[in-house]
Amino acid sequence: MKQHRLAAAVALVGLVLAGCDSQTSEVELKSPAQKASYGIGLNMGRSLSEEGMDDLDSKAVAQGIEDALAKKEPRIKDEDMIEAFSFLQNRAQERMTALNKEAAEAGKKFLEENGKREGVVTTPSGLQYEVIKKTDGAQPKESDVVTVHYEGKLTDGSVFDSSVARGSPIDLPVGGVIPGWVEGLQLMHVGEKYKLYIPSELAYGEQSPSPAIPANAVLVFDLELIGIKDQAAEAAEPAEPAAQ
């Protein structure tokens, strides 16, 4: 299946490359078909690059597409293509494994140094936090729904998600988020602001939920606990009468 996906990705990139020749700057991107073709090539190119396949020969890709459209005999045997796909897939996996290991080591080093800073508390699970604003409000339980404002960053400072930027806090179940948040939220009092430093094993681990969050990434959150929802009161509220 992996080989088939790789082949499909290469073919899609080739559809764009075949029409581009070597003068990409002269390609028109006016019609919906042209724009969609460019989008397919851009997305597939990014995907292949992220998988460590950024050294594919674009001319060979275009030649394969041209031969197929012209119904010519393939220039290489099927078994040779399968062998080549397997080689690229294995090499990409080796590269990804190396990158994941490097990210894990970098995250561990960051947390070791960060934990030495004054004001940073490290819990038995490995979660680190700083109290930015302290209050005496109520503390949520794992079964509660809370209202929060947050901004999530990688250790290099790049923002991957932010309710602050969107200008709207969110409601979420304490027990329905990543483990680092489940633990961190239950440490907080309503009205407090924390900075959480979440080890990858308390976040997404080796899984990358989006291109903005690499595998094995340590996540840094500025988190404000605005309130705890009264679910019983909300359930007891009478329904709005239907409009006449």
Side-chain angles (χ1 to χ4, degrees):
M1 288 299 293
K2 291 181 178 179
Q3 293 169 0
H4 292 164
R5 287 198 297 269
L6 175 59
V10 171
L12 285 171
V13 175
L15 284 172
V16 179
L17 293 173
C20 291
D21 198 16
S22 60
Q23 300 180 8
T24 306
S25 60
E26 297 180 7
V27 173
E28 291 188 354
L29 300 175
K30 296 180 180 179
S31 72
Q34 289 170 331
K35 293 175 181 177
S37 297
Y38 178 76
I40 289 172
L42 191 65
N43 290 334
M44 286 297 121
R46 285 173 175 167
S47 178
L48 289 168
S49 179
E50 289 171 1
E51 292 182 13
M53 298 180 187
D54 50 4
D55 60 347
L56 290 175
D57 189 326
S58 61
K59 292 182 179 179
V61 173
Q63 186 65 64
I65 294 295
E66 290 176 4
D67 287 351
L69 293 176
K71 295 182 173 55
K72 294 181 179 179
E73 284 294 319
R75 299 174 185 237
I76 58 177
K77 297 178 180 179
D78 286 349
E79 52 265 33
D80 292 334
M81 283 189 279
I82 292 173
E83 183 180 352
F85 287 144
S86 295
F87 170 81
L88 289 179
Q89 192 66 51
N90 292 336
R91 188 189 62 177
Q93 185 60 50
E94 290 172 358
R95 288 181 177 179
M96 191 60 64
T97 299
L99 288 173
N100 289 350
K101 181 179 179 181
E102 183 179 328
E105 292 174 349
K108 182 179 179 181
K109 183 177 180 181
F110 171 85
L111 291 170
E112 286 176 351
E113 294 300 317
N114 190 62
K116 298 174 184 177
R117 294 194 302 108
E118 183 177 355
V120 175
V121 179
T122 303
T123 72
S125 72
L127 175 70
Q128 295 181 349
Y129 69 90
E130 290 180 86
V131 180
I132 307 302
K133 176 184 176 182
K134 187 172 179 59
T135 70
D136 295 319
Q139 288 179 284
K141 304 181 296 296
E142 188 170 346
S143 58
D144 285 330
V145 173
V146 295
T147 303
V148 300
H149 243 331
Y150 69 92
E151 183 164 79
K153 303 176 182 177
L154 302 180
T155 56
D156 64 4
S158 57
V159 177
F160 58 81
D161 192 15
S162 174
S163 69
V164 176
R166 291 191 294 272
S168 178
I170 67 167
D171 296 339
L172 51 83
V174 175
V177 289
I178 58 175
W181 267 50
V182 174
E183 179 180 355
L185 283 168
Q186 293 181 84
L187 296 172
M188 300 178 70
H189 298 76
V190 172
E192 287 188 331
K193 294 182 179 180
Y194 272 34
K195 198 175 193 74
L196 301 180
Y197 305 89
I198 303 180
S200 64
E201 57 268 26
L202 298 180
Y204 298 103
E206 294 185 354
Q207 303 300 314
S208 173
S210 77
I213 302 178
N216 289 333
V218 171
L219 306 184
V220 181
F221 285 95
D222 293 304
L223 181 61
E224 177 183 5
L225 178 57
I226 296 173
I228 302 172
K229 306 287 286 186
D230 188 339
Q231 299 176 69
E234 289 184 358
E237 288 183 1
E240 291 287 339
Q244 299 297 320

